[in-house]
Amino acid sequence: MIRLGVNVPNFGPESSYDALLGWARFAEDGGFHTLVVSDHVVLTPEVAAIYPEPFHDPFVLLAWLAGQTSTVRLGTSVVLLPYRHPLHTARMSAMLHLMSGGRFVLGVGAGWSATEFAALGADHARRGPVTDEYLEIITGAWAADRVDGPGYQGVQTGPRPPEGRVPVWVGGASRRAIRRAVRSGSAWHPINPDLDWLRDKGLPALRQEAAEQERPVPELVVRVKARLQTEPAGPDRPAGVGTLEQVVGDVHALVGLGASEVILDPNPDEPGPRDYAAEQRQLAEIRQAYAAG
């Protein structure tokens, strides 16, 4: 049986600290393996149209939740690497992994919002190469006592994580992202993939890339929607949307494709008032139905 995780909404007017702590306790007490949160730094109108304010910083939030939990794994889905200096990301990630007792996983992505990149002075056009470069710097900083790089030599960034690494989930569905997952990731982490695409194109590309790089195929950790409805959804429905039978069937389909974990995401397609209690009831129902076989 694969592990199930939950994507916790760390944004929006309902995301008070009491509510976020409630989500953490729901995940841990409800038997979910992993709790993940998302990342945006500047809520330009383009970003806020999808993720309403406020947006809580994932590193600060997870550091706080690490002290409020004891067993649930804590992660990001995903941190947008071009937004922060890689040595800073390496340091925060290593400290979070240490403070949580080895429960942190760094999910990473390249980002998408051109307006957010502009607000941060980052290069949207080069986000792919920059993500590759930053991820190599981050993993190198975890592995060595001192590191060299552009503009610095022999520097320390803070405490190193156990065994010189933190688990890394690499998001994205492009060929570049798949190449990045094989080179630097412990898992490939596609978000809301079409299941037919995943079976027929995504996973064959992952295996081909692993063969070309002569590296092991990384684990498959998929994030899908989690939205139950009473009537069956049509054939073009996204994975995770439909009746309980359809959604649990999606989880079983991902098991068949080799997924080691499925992250269930209750976030609606368009922002609006959220009913966290109802969302948690649906997540618990999905988990219970899947566990029952």
Side-chain angles (χ1 to χ4, degrees), residues 253-292:
L254 288 165
V255 173
L257 293 175
S260 61
E261 185 162 359
V262 174
I263 304 296
L264 300 173
D265 182 5
N267 190 40
D269 291 331
E270 296 181 358
R274 302 281 294 265
D275 184 344
Y276 288 164
E279 292 175 7
Q280 291 170 6
R281 285 194 296 271
Q282 290 197 355
L283 289 163
E285 192 175 356
I286 294 167
R287 184 188 176 280
Q288 291 165 3
Y290 172 67

Side-chain angles (χ1 to χ4, degrees), residues 41-283:
V41 177
V42 179
L43 297 188
T44 63
E46 177 183 40
V47 176
I50 304 172
Y51 303 102
E53 62 179 286
F55 205 112
H56 303 285
D57 180 85
F59 290 105
V60 176
L61 175 60
L62 292 179
W64 176 58
L65 292 179
Q68 307 283 343
T69 57
S70 58
T71 58
V72 69
R73 186 162 60 168
L74 307 166
T76 56
S77 178
V78 288
V79 159
L80 305 176
L81 286 190
Y83 290 172
R84 300 171 180 85
H85 194 287
L87 294 182
H88 192 197
T89 301
R91 182 186 193 190
M92 292 189 293
S93 301
M95 290 184 67
L96 240 173
H97 199 53
L98 286 162
M99 288 189 299
S100 66
R103 290 187 287 135
F104 178 65
V105 56
L106 179 66
V108 302
W112 56 271
S113 170
T115 56
E116 190 173 16
F117 272 81
L120 291 167
D123 191 340
H124 180 263
R126 295 196 65 252
R127 63 193 184 279
V130 168
T131 299
D132 291 338
E133 176 189 348
Y134 281 14
L135 188 53
E136 289 190 14
I137 292 172
I138 290 165
T139 55
W142 290 336
D145 289 326
R146 297 180 182 274
V147 294
D148 301 331
Y152 55 89
Q153 289 186 332
V155 302
Q156 293 177 309
T157 61
R160 290 174 56 199
E163 301 180 355
R165 65 177 184 270
V166 172
V168 174
W169 295 353
V170 177
S174 68
R175 190 56 188 255
R176 182 169 210 131
I178 290 171
R179 188 179 307 120
R180 184 182 304 132
V182 172
R183 182 174 60 250
S184 303
S186 51
W188 179 39
H189 182 49
I191 296 173
N192 295 326
D194 177 82
L195 297 189
D196 289 340
W197 174 89
L198 187 64
R199 181 193 63 228
D200 298 336
K201 296 184 178 179
L203 286 171
L206 186 72
R207 291 189 287 266
Q208 179 182 347
E209 189 62 44
E212 291 176 0
Q213 294 191 34
E214 298 182 343
R215 294 175 182 266
V217 178
E219 290 185 33
L220 175 65
V221 176
V222 184
R223 194 177 102 194
V224 297
K225 298 177 185 296
R227 198 155 63 244
L228 297 181
Q229 56 190 51
T230 56
E231 296 296 323
D236 295 330
R237 68 184 179 90
V241 176
T243 62
L244 181 62
E245 182 179 6
Q246 286 178 310
V247 173
V248 173
D250 293 334
V251 177
H252 283 294
L254 288 165
V255 173
L257 293 175
S260 61
E261 185 162 359
V262 174
I263 304 296
L264 300 173
D265 182 5
N267 190 40
D269 291 331
E270 296 181 358
R274 302 281 294 265
D275 184 344
Y276 288 164
E279 292 175 7
Q280 291 170 6
R281 285 194 296 271
Q282 290 197 355
L283 289 163

